[in-house]
């Protein structure tokens, strides 16, 4: 449906249940703009709309509606759009305003058999596609799947030059900075809208040099769209964007970017507690990184392989790969590194060392002696432009202090993590703070730990 025509509804049910001026009330507009669905539902209840009616309009169960009314936050983009369309709210009121044709063309339709596939099947399909792109043969399977549909498009510019491509690159840099600072939920819609415009250039005329650079620029923008989708909990959209990014990076003959995309999709699988599948992607990424000759790209992949091995309980391999991370980073040409790998600086090396040892510390508490100094170094170096990463590291540092028996310091650092988290629109922040919540709850007999546990519970319920 057109985003601007959402206010009328599709069958008149909304008009019968919800007063026509309900969406224009200041308190309702404020709740919609902040995507505070619990407040929206409470205001609808005041207008006499029952939980059952809300559930029927939004396609949710009554128990889901009840949980949201009690404070459960809704962050997933697809759920927010379903709620918006079901209630008959203009998507623009919730900052969701780009049309369906754009969404389908840029992200790919998720209907039919693909939507019904088990997540493990989707992971295998992506691995097959990644292997085909990286190695030129589908060594893990033959089906790569269709990652995008082809509806009618807005006419593309007739001819493009390097200035047009540089504009795409500049937009990507600016949007990536917003993602780092405020989270994917803050800028994903803008990334997708920019991608819709950028992809039109693929149909334009231009020199071979311009088109090759355009492939790389759009691959990087697709990678950012995948990352912001991941950050907001949209796993299928993330997978589709990363698949398109791989194809375009390969067309642009850019091995470092292929490695980077594979690293990022591997991180999605780590987040899903699938370290075996993540490791396969990281290993494919190593092939591309080594072909590129970029020690920095190799270091990134080594660090993430160490993370995967730590999750699998393989302490020796994790330690070995952390050692190689340091060695490759020490040899890297940081000044001439490509833009999408420059993020991996000395601070990130310490952050990854601390992250890997945090995973290991939850299996063997002696690893806190390695995790705490590395995380402290990272936290002290991150600035406000990397607020999300700093929040992750503060949460991990607090967890280690609790594991180490220093409850006072753990509670203090945990409070700082929550302070940082409040301004970030990221589903991952919540997930990365869960280990801290578990450790705080285990120590409820301590007043500081109990206060931290209560504050974490309030954060998760908000």
């Amino acid at each position: 449906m057109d985003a601007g025509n959402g206010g009328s509804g599709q069958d008149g049910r909304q008009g019968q249940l919800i007063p026509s001026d309900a969406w224009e009330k200041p308190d309702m507009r404020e709740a919609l703009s902040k995507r505070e669905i619990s407040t929206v539902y409470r205001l609808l209840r005041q207008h006499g709309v029952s939980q059952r009616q809300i559930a029927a309009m939004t396609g949710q169960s009554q128990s889901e509606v009840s949980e949201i009314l009690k404070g459960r936050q809704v962050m997933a983009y697809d759920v927010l759009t379903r709620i918006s369309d079901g209630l008959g709210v203009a998507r623009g009121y919730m900052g969701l305003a780009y049309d369906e044709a754009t969404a389908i063309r840029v992200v790919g339709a998720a209907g039919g058999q693909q939507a019904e596939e088990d997540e493990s099947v989707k992971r295998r399909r992506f691995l097959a596609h990644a292997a085909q792109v990286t190695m030129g043969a589908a060594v893990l399977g033959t089906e790569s799947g269709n990652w995008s549909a082809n509806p009618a498009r807005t006419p593309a510019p007739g001819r493009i030059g390097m200035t047009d491509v540089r504009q795409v690159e500049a937009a990507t840099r600016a949007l990536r900075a917003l993602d780092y600072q405020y989270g994917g939920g803050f800028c994903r819609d803008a990334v997708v809208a920019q991608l819709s415009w950028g992809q039109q250039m693929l149909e334009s005329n231009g020199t071979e040099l311009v088109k090759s650079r355009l492939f790389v620029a759009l691959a990087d923008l697709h990678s950012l769209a995948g990352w912001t989708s991941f950050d907001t909990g949209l796993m299928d959209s993330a997978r589709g964007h990363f698949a398109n990014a791989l194809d375009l990076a390969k067309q642009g003959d850019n091995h470092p970017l292929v490695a980077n995309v594979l690293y990022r999709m591997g991180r999605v699988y780590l987040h899903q507690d699938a370290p075996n599948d993540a490791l396969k992607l990281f290993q494919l990424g190593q092939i591309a990184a080594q072909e590129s000759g970029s020690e920095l790209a190799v270091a990134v992949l080594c660090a993430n392989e160490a993370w995967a091995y730590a999750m699998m309980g393989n302490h020796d391999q994790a330690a070995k790969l952390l050692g190689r991370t340091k060695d490759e980073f020490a040899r890297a040409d940081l000044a001439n590194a490509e833009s999408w790998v420059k993020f991996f600086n000395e601070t990130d090396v310490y952050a990854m060392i601390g992250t890997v040892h945090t995973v290991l510390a939850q299996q063997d508490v002696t690893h806190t002696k390695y995790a705490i100094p590395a995380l402290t170094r990272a936290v002290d170096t991150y600035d406000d432009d990397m607020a999300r990463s700093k929040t992750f590291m503060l949460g991990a540092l607090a967890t280690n202090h609790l594991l180490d028996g220093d409850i006072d310091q753990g509670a203090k650092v945990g409070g700082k993590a929550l302070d940082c988290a409040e301004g970030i629109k990221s589903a991952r922040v919540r997930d990365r703070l869960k280990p801290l919540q578990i450790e705080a709850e285990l120590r409820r007999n301590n007043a500081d730990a109990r206060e931290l546990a209560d504050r974490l519970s309030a954060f998760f319920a908000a």
Side-chain angles (χ1 to χ4, degrees), residues 173-296:
R173 286 194 299 272
L175 290 165
R176 180 169 279 125
L178 291 173
D179 169 61
Y180 283 144
Q181 188 167 3
Y182 300 111
F186 184 84
C187 61
R188 179 183 180 273
D189 293 351
V191 175
V192 172
Q194 182 65 37
L195 187 53
S196 175
W197 167 251
Q199 286 208 159
Q200 296 177 53
M201 296 183 191
L202 291 173
E203 300 176 356
S204 304
N205 294 319
T207 66
E208 185 175 340
L209 180 62
V210 168
K211 295 303 284 280
S212 178
R213 185 159 164 179
L214 177 64
F215 289 142
V216 175
L218 290 179
D220 193 26
L221 189 53
H222 261 297
S223 180
L224 179 58
W227 194 248
T228 54
S229 296
F230 166 44
D231 203 44
T232 51
L234 302 178
M235 299 306 177
D236 283 342
S237 291
R239 196 181 346 257
H241 282 301
F242 285 133
N244 286 325
L246 281 178
D247 291 339
L248 288 163
K250 189 71 172 181
Q251 283 181 276
D253 195 29
N254 196 291
H255 295 294
L257 185 52
V258 169
N260 186 268
V261 173
L262 291 169
Y263 134 72
R264 292 183 182 277
M265 192 63 205
R267 286 287 288 271
V268 174
Y269 291 166
L270 285 186
H271 188 79
Q272 294 178 320
D273 290 322
N276 282 293
D277 287 334
L279 185 61
K280 292 172 186 175
L281 285 178
F282 295 146
Q283 290 168 341
L284 284 173
Q286 276 291 13
I287 295 171
Q290 289 166 5
E291 286 180 358
S292 76
S294 170
E295 291 88 355
L296 192 57

Side-chain angles (χ1 to χ4, degrees), residues 336-414:
N336 295 309
E338 299 198 47
S339 60
W340 42 81
V341 77
K342 277 188 175 181
F343 77 92
F344 197 73
N345 54 26
E346 188 177 29
T347 300
D348 282 275
V349 173
Y350 283 109
M352 287 300 297
I353 292 170
T355 297
V356 171
H357 282 293
T358 298
V359 174
L360 295 173
Q362 292 170 73
Q363 305 165 24
D364 177 357
V365 73
T366 62
H367 282 271
T368 59
K369 66 183 178 183
Y370 305 110
I372 289 174
L375 292 167
T376 300
R377 180 78 174 265
V379 166
D380 290 344
T381 313
Y382 277 131
D383 57 26
D384 291 340
D385 291 341
M386 298 292 288
R388 181 177 56 202
S389 295
K390 186 173 183 177
T391 302
F392 291 163
M393 295 308 106
L394 282 167
L397 181 57
T399 301
N400 277 280
H401 281 304
L402 292 181
L403 287 167
D404 204 38
D406 192 349
I407 298 179
D408 178 66
Q409 185 67 7
K412 181 180 178 181
V413 176

Side-chain angles (χ1 to χ4, degrees), residues 27-45:
D27 51 355
M28 180 67 84
R29 289 295 295 271
E30 181 179 3
L32 290 169
S33 67
K34 294 179 178 179
R35 301 181 183 177
E36 294 176 350
I37 305 303
S38 60
T39 302
V40 171
Y41 284 3
R42 282 196 295 271
L43 291 171
L44 288 178
R45 294 287 290 114

Side-chain angles (χ1 to χ4, degrees), residues 23-99:
W23 307 120
E24 308 305 324
K25 302 287 187 183
D27 51 355
M28 180 67 84
R29 289 295 295 271
E30 181 179 3
L32 290 169
S33 67
K34 294 179 178 179
R35 301 181 183 177
E36 294 176 350
I37 305 303
S38 60
T39 302
V40 171
Y41 284 3
R42 282 196 295 271
L43 291 171
L44 288 178
R45 294 287 290 114
Q46 292 174 16
H47 284 292
V49 183
S50 69
Q51 289 188 34
R52 180 182 59 78
Q53 291 167 328
I54 293 173
M57 286 188 286
T58 60
Q60 296 173 299
S61 66
Q62 288 192 55
S63 62
E64 286 178 299
V65 172
S66 177
E67 288 175 8
I68 292 170
L69 281 165
K70 291 176 182 176
R72 194 190 86 186
Q73 190 170 12
V74 179
M75 296 187 67
Y77 184 88
D78 53 346
V79 178
L80 288 167
T81 53
R82 190 172 75 239
I83 290 171
S84 174
D85 294 346
L87 295 177
V89 184
R91 288 189 182 184
Y93 285 10
M94 295 172 64
L96 307 171
Y98 72 90
D99 59 44

